[in-house]
Amino acid sequence: MNQKLFNTILLLFISAIAISQPARRPEFDSPQVNSDNTVTFKFLAPNANSVKLNTQIENGSVDMVKDESGIWSATIGPVKPDMYPYAFNVDGIQVADPKNTNIFPNEGFQNSIVEITGNNPLVHTIKDVPHGTVSYRYYTSPELGERPVVIYTPPGYETSTDKTYPILYLLHGSSDTEETWTKVGRANIILDNLIAQGKAKPMIIVMPYGRAYPSISKSAGSLRNWDNLQEIKKDFLNYLFPFINENYRVKEDRNSHAIAGFSGGGGTSLFMGLNNPDMFSWVAGFAPGMLPNEFERNNAVAFENPAQTNKNLDLFWIGVGEDDFTYRVVKEYFELLDSKGIKYERFISGGGHTWMNCKLYLSILAEKLFK
């Protein structure tokens, strides 16, 4: 083969390889938190007709603009330091940010998380302090199968083997999962920071999956629906609580047991905590999901003898935002508690039904528990 023919074949071969390669994707980062606390979001969709940014930072969606390479972008802010969920609406379809590995664990929607730290560390900011351990465990329910639970043990748990700890059962919202309290609510980081500052007692936090699936469908609505409450009650009492007691060094007296939850999980926490006074003396709800026609039924034990309920509870605490859609019903619940003479603490914040408020409520509650 002469050199000219060889060169021609080589050129054709190289051209064929080049043609077969996919077009090079433009390089970019998203989200990008800028020094002035503005945030730039980007999404590659060269063939999309419309891309919008949906985030709890802003009221309503934000139109994004496409450049010549097919990258859509939007810059918003300055943004108040916190952690916020967001997603992109691409021609009517909501998707998480493929450039961001911080995903919001949820069974009802796809969201990503952006963190704006600002100049001053917040209670959920990861700091150079002793850190506890987050473990992914499973316990067995004959009715529901293998059940996931995320467990936080405080700094020193592994080395102080003769020490027992109080325990907080922390429940997620209706479409969330057992991971949401750590990945979005930063429960472990909040406790690390508060313990390091001497503001919170070292405690174990148990974060179970709150839906009695498969007995209760994932599309069955709020976790505080009666059918789910009955199944979860059996699951917790018969399987989850024994699993924790057998595998972790927990204090066994009721004064060392707390339960709290958000939204539908808040309704569950009130149902479990107020109707099992032999197990819990610390009960809290974060914007708890409730309906007025369920008040008497779901609080039957607590309402039967309000004076005894007050003696049983070291703390009954409820937090809710003024713009939260649960606020109206929670206010009715406050009025009913007042009429029955049941003592409780209320905390009314700004904002709505958000995990930004959840982090705030947990940080306030954690400083009160077991003291």
Side-chain angles (χ1 to χ4, degrees):
M1 180 182 297
N2 62 44
Q3 187 65 40
K4 184 176 181 180
L5 179 60
F6 176 79
N7 290 343
T8 301
I9 294 173
L10 180 61
L11 180 62
L12 290 173
F13 179 72
I14 293 173
S15 299
I17 292 177
I19 292 171
S20 67
Q21 296 299 311
R24 188 179 185 89
R25 286 175 169 264
E27 295 293 330
F28 63 95
D29 294 322
S30 179
Q32 179 180 324
V33 180
N34 305 309
S35 59
D36 60 354
N37 283 356
T38 59
V39 185
T40 301
F41 300 88
K42 295 183 179 182
F43 185 80
L44 179 64
N47 298 320
N49 296 312
S50 170
V51 180
K52 298 178 184 292
L53 170 68
N54 293 331
T55 171
Q56 292 181 355
I57 299 171
E58 300 280 347
N59 292 322
S61 60
V62 177
D63 291 327
M64 302 180 73
V65 178
K66 183 170 69 172
D67 66 14
E68 65 279 357
S69 63
I71 297 174
W72 298 75
S73 64
T75 298
I76 60 175
V79 179
K80 178 184 176 182
D82 208 325
M83 295 169 61
Y84 299 90
Y86 73 96
F88 300 118
N89 186 299
V90 184
D91 288 340
I93 300 174
Q94 180 170 306
V95 296
D97 188 344
K99 287 285 187 175
N100 187 353
T101 59
N102 294 321
I103 298 297
F104 191 129
N106 191 280
E107 296 176 334
F109 55 77
Q110 290 189 337
N111 269 3
S112 301
I113 297 292
V114 59
E115 180 176 6
I116 298 91
T117 57
N119 296 323
N120 299 310
L122 303 175
V123 70
H124 62 260
T125 303
I126 300 175
K127 304 174 187 176
D128 183 14
V129 299
H131 294 289
T133 301
V134 174
S135 302
Y136 285 69
R137 301 292 303 270
Y138 291 87
Y139 64 97
T140 303
S141 162
E143 293 87 2
L144 304 178
E146 295 301 302
R147 301 278 293 169
V149 57
V150 177
I151 299 170
Y152 165 84
T153 48
Y157 179 86
E158 287 84 359
T159 55
S160 302
T161 55
D162 59 343
K163 184 177 180 180
T164 57
Y165 294 83
I167 186 167
L168 166 63
Y169 287 86
L170 190 57
L171 312 183
H172 58 74
S174 287
S175 61
D176 301 318
T177 76
E178 70 283 355
E179 291 188 290
T180 312
W181 262 114
T182 51
K183 293 194 172 181
V184 185
R186 285 271 177 92
N188 54 315
I189 303 302
I190 291 172
L191 264 294
D192 286 345
N193 292 336
L194 293 178
I195 292 169
Q197 297 170 40
K199 293 181 178 180
K201 294 280 189 181
M203 67 186 75
I204 294 171
I205 305 179
V206 176
M207 295 160 278
Y209 180 54
R211 191 175 297 279
Y213 179 82
S215 293
I216 304 297
S217 168
K218 292 185 179 182
S219 60
S222 176
L223 298 179
R224 62 105 189 100
N225 287 346
W226 188 247
D227 289 346
N228 192 68
L229 290 179
Q230 302 316 296
E231 294 300 320
I232 284 296
K233 178 182 178 180
K234 289 189 292 185
D235 180 62
F236 282 17
L237 294 178
N238 296 333
Y239 311 115
L240 174 60
F241 295 163
F243 172 82
I244 298 300
N245 292 338
E246 290 169 8
N247 289 278
Y248 290 87
R249 300 192 311 277
V250 297
K251 293 181 181 294
E252 297 185 2
D253 61 290
R254 57 180 298 280
N255 298 97
S256 299
H257 295 172
I259 188 167
F262 171 52
S263 192
T268 303
S269 68
L270 299 189
F271 172 77
M272 289 296 300
L274 297 176
N275 290 315
N276 292 280
D278 56 324
M279 298 187 65
F280 297 103
S281 67
W282 309 81
V283 179
F286 305 155
M290 299 181 289
L291 292 176
N293 63 356
E294 299 169 347
F295 286 165
E296 295 289 343
R297 180 192 67 186
N298 289 18
N299 296 266
V301 173
F303 287 178
E304 182 179 8
N305 189 337
Q308 186 60 47
T309 296
N310 290 335
K311 292 181 181 179
N312 291 337
L313 292 172
D314 286 306
L315 178 67
F316 181 16
W317 192 94
I318 296 177
V320 66
E322 289 180 324
D323 298 324
D324 197 306
F325 65 81
T326 68
Y327 183 51
R328 180 185 60 80
V329 174
V330 172
K331 282 181 63 179
E332 291 187 43
Y333 187 60
F334 289 157
E335 293 169 1
L336 182 59
L337 294 176
D338 291 338
S339 71
K340 293 181 177 294
I342 293 179
K343 298 176 182 178
Y344 65 97
E345 289 185 19
R346 70 174 77 181
F347 179 81
I348 310 300
S349 70
H353 204 68
T354 68
W355 276 90
M356 290 82 80
N357 268 343
C358 279
K359 294 193 296 292
L360 171 64
Y361 301 154
L362 176 61
S363 66
I364 294 171
L365 178 68
E367 292 191 28
K368 297 175 178 289
L369 291 179
F370 314 122
K371 294 181 178 179

